[in-house]
Amino acid sequence: MEFQVPDVPLLKIFSFLDAFSLLQASQVNRCWNRVAENDHLWRNLCLKKWSFCNFSQCLGSPTWKQFFLKQRKQEYRMALAKPEDFTFREASGNLGILGPMAYLSGNDHTVGGQEKSVICTVSSKHVLCTWDVQEGTMIWSSPVQQSSIMHLATLPQMHLAFTVDLEGTVKVWNCQDEDALATLAMPRTCFSLEICLTNDGPFLMVGNSEGDIYTLTVPELRGVSKVNAFKYSVDLLHCSPDRKWIFASGTHQNILPMVFLTECLLKPSEGKSPLCLSIPFSSCCRACWAPRKTSRVTVMYRRGSFKKTGFTTFDLMAKRTGGRTDIQAHQVATFLLPVHMESPIWMGVGDGNMIVFESGPYLFLFTISGHLLQRFEDHQRTISNLWVDSVHILTTSMDDSLHLYMWEDEGRYPYLKSCCHLEHIGSDLAPSCIINYVRLSTDFIFSVGSYVSKAICDNMSIVCVVSRIRESSILVMYSLHM
């Protein structure tokens, strides 16, 4: 180690290291330690692993390294958690039927020095509510809206929630004041909602029943652009993790999905159509961007009279030739599921080379080429919902339970780790917020006419909705003991 490599080339070399190797390198000598502490290196590692920390607002720590280590510690605790490590709080009563829900803050959000997770829920009572997951209490609710709220999106970095109702009214909420920050009445019914946080600020994408995609400023909801993508409704809108691409599609069998260059929607040129490309696979029902291969999209589609389910994966590229830019799509892989396999409703993707989906009571992990990697049998009845992000996978089932899985780092074997199984234990107490502890029993406990219909999580909590036939839903909040 007598030969000292200059800082600039050493920084370049270190940029190829993973976090563990970078920590090892920092222990070699003082020079290497100083370079390995570079905030740019740790910021890139954070962006590679968690797309949500794309901006400094969610850093919440003095340095990117500290943020990285804090997040990894929380993930490790969640991966090893057992049912008895959670506190369970149940909100029941006159909640109505709970629809969409999303985290408004989490992981890095602190109140009075304590880490808090805050979620938004929408109910059939035409109300948007926020909840403190650790306390199990409602902390804010909107006035009763004139029409049912159909779609919900959140921007945790700015503590904002976005709703669109049955009549096409779009609203922005700070979840503190009684009135919305902005309101916009759309001319048609809205079918999709997507928030896109770029270097130029946040924008809201709205897809309607006539195939139009509107791009709006946040929080003012001023129109930036409008493009007609299809003759039918825009049912799916997904922004890529690097905010470079917008995937749009409808579930109608005659629609071919389209991919737009985000910049063209945010900065439209007068008289010019935005750059886009049709993907030659109709009957699209789901689509996911790869968290770490940011220009890779996987589409789930159904074909033929028997509605066979297939998956196809494309890599996208914007190629500039002279003064012209063209979008190119390269099909990386495609496959059809066996006829005997029950068609999935939900899907997610891992590192870009793996697809996860449910089929009956089973969870399957396939390669994008169609090779089976894993099959999990953690539920006894049909999986009713699948929720996937770049770290976690949650399944909920008709057997009144949910199961947590976590992706292995860098797509390493065994790819997906089965972590924790939680069963909802209902209460016959009067409507209130009931505090109890999760326990695991040997026999499944069924609530008559009820099942866990959906769930979401972060590194400190799991929130699920227990749906009950002809009755109000129950909101169940699990938080790790801190």
Side-chain angles (χ1 to χ4, degrees):
M1 300 306 300
E2 293 179 1
F3 175 74
Q4 293 293 329
V5 180
D7 285 3
V8 174
L10 191 61
L11 187 65
K12 181 67 175 177
I13 294 170
F14 284 0
S15 70
F16 295 98
L17 300 181
D18 58 23
F20 180 73
S21 301
L22 192 57
L23 288 171
Q24 288 183 310
S26 69
Q27 300 178 52
V28 171
N29 56 40
R30 290 183 179 179
C31 175
W32 281 34
N33 180 271
R34 175 171 45 79
V35 175
E37 292 289 318
N38 185 282
D39 220 33
H40 182 72
L41 293 174
W42 289 99
R43 179 180 182 273
N44 286 342
L45 287 173
C46 289
L47 296 180
K48 182 180 178 182
K49 186 163 181 62
W50 307 292
S51 60
F52 65 79
C53 64
N54 205 16
F55 289 80
S56 60
Q57 288 99 319
C58 68
L59 182 55
S61 301
T63 66
W64 282 101
K65 179 182 177 181
Q66 290 177 355
F67 176 78
F68 185 96
L69 296 178
K70 174 185 171 184
Q71 287 289 119
R72 292 295 288 139
K73 181 180 179 181
Q74 289 179 339
E75 288 178 9
Y76 185 72
R77 289 183 66 243
M78 181 65 92
L80 296 180
K82 298 178 181 178
E84 55 267 26
D85 296 326
F86 290 90
T87 297
F88 135 69
R89 302 172 192 262
E90 181 182 289
S92 59
N94 194 23
L95 298 181
I97 299 172
L98 295 178
M101 62 178 177
Y103 276 95
L104 186 62
S105 63
N107 297 325
D108 62 315
H109 181 65
T110 58
V111 176
Q114 292 186 335
E115 294 178 334
K116 294 286 186 179
S117 297
V118 179
I119 64 159
C120 284
T121 62
V122 167
S123 90
S124 60
K125 302 291 184 181
H126 301 191
V127 173
L128 172 69
C129 301
T130 60
W131 301 79
D132 182 325
V133 176
Q134 278 68 35
E135 297 298 325
T137 56
M138 183 189 298
I139 54 180
W140 175 86
S141 65
S142 71
V144 176
Q145 303 298 291
Q146 292 183 352
S147 184
S148 298
I149 301 173
M150 304 304 295
H151 300 283
L152 169 69
T154 58
L155 182 57
Q157 294 90 337
M158 296 178 66
H159 206 75
L160 295 177
F162 307 83
T163 60
V164 60
D165 65 22
L166 190 59
E167 296 179 353
T169 303
V170 181
K171 293 187 177 183
V172 184
W173 308 86
N174 63 9
C175 300
Q176 296 176 6
D177 299 328
E178 180 178 348
D179 296 327
L181 295 179
T183 300
L184 178 66
M186 304 294 286
R188 297 287 186 273
T189 304
C190 301
F191 279 73
S192 52
L193 202 61
E194 177 76 338
I195 188 71
C196 184
L197 185 54
T198 73
N199 291 326
D200 296 319
F203 295 87
L204 185 67
M205 311 284 186
V206 182
N208 71 9
S209 58
E210 299 294 316
D212 299 320
I213 300 173
Y214 289 83
T215 302
L216 310 170
T217 62
V218 172
E220 303 87 0
L221 295 183
R222 290 197 304 266
V224 175
S225 66
K226 172 192 172 184
V227 58
N228 183 257
F230 314 111
K231 295 181 180 179
Y232 306 94
S233 61
V234 182
D235 302 300
L236 303 174
L237 272 178
H238 299 301
C239 184
S240 64
D242 62 355
R243 279 59 177 174
K244 184 177 181 180
W245 309 97
I246 298 292
F247 176 93
S249 183
T251 55
H252 193 280
Q253 61 182 1
N254 293 331
I255 287 181
L256 295 180
M258 298 186 74
V259 177
F260 293 85
L261 202 59
T262 306
E263 184 180 1
C264 296
L265 298 178
L266 304 184
K267 301 175 181 178
S269 300
E270 189 174 351
K272 289 186 179 181
S273 299
L275 280 176
C276 61
L277 179 72
S278 293
I279 293 179
F281 274 84
S282 60
S283 303
C284 169
C285 48
R286 299 284 175 189
C288 294
W289 291 99
R292 298 178 183 90
K293 294 184 178 179
T294 53
S295 293
R296 175 168 291 185
V297 64
T298 297
V299 175
M300 182 169 80
Y301 62 91
R302 305 206 197 282
R303 285 281 176 85
S305 56
F306 294 101
K307 296 295 183 182
K308 293 182 181 178
T309 300
F311 298 88
T312 183
T313 302
F314 287 88
D315 281 343
L316 297 159
M317 180 176 62
K319 189 174 182 180
R320 189 168 183 83
T321 306
R324 177 177 174 175
T325 302
D326 294 311
I327 300 176
Q328 297 179 354
H330 170 63
Q331 188 179 36
V332 180
T334 187
F335 71 98
L336 283 170
L337 292 181
V339 179
H340 63 81
M341 183 178 287
E342 185 177 335
S343 291
I345 299 175
W346 312 95
M347 67 163 289
V349 294
D351 63 349
N353 296 313
M354 292 178 285
I355 303 170
V356 62
F357 59 87
E358 97 298 344
S359 179
Y362 308 113
L363 183 70
F364 289 93
L365 185 67
F366 275 74
T367 67
I368 58 174
S369 300
H371 300 295
L372 176 63
L373 296 176
Q374 289 173 286
R375 186 179 89 158
F376 296 91
E377 303 178 22
D378 296 300
H379 295 288
Q380 293 191 2
R381 300 180 68 187
T382 299
I383 293 175
S384 55
N385 189 266
L386 172 68
W387 182 87
V388 183
D389 69 5
S390 60
V391 179
H392 318 88
I393 292 176
L394 277 175
T395 55
T396 63
S397 171
M398 303 297 287
D399 61 23
D400 220 10
S401 68
L402 64 87
H403 198 92
L404 172 67
Y405 307 84
M406 295 184 72
W407 295 106
E408 293 287 357
D409 284 341
E410 306 295 330
R412 298 189 183 106
Y413 182 83
Y415 316 118
L416 201 57
K417 179 181 179 182
S418 177
C419 297
C420 187
H421 192 82
L422 300 174
E423 295 179 1
H424 172 248
I425 300 171
S427 172
D428 294 324
L429 298 179
S432 61
C433 184
I434 303 142
I435 301 176
N436 207 331
Y437 287 95
V438 176
R439 60 182 172 83
L440 193 64
S441 62
T442 54
D443 299 317
F444 285 97
I445 299 176
F446 297 95
S447 299
V448 178
S450 72
Y451 65 98
V452 183
S453 59
K454 60 178 71 73
I456 58 177
C457 78
D458 61 9
N459 288 329
M460 301 185 298
S461 63
I462 300 173
V463 180
C464 66
V465 173
V466 177
S467 297
R468 302 183 295 178
I469 299 174
R470 296 187 296 275
E471 293 184 55
S472 292
S473 303
I474 300 172
L475 187 65
V476 181
M477 294 163 274
Y478 303 93
S479 56
L480 275 175
H481 302 322
M482 303 306 290

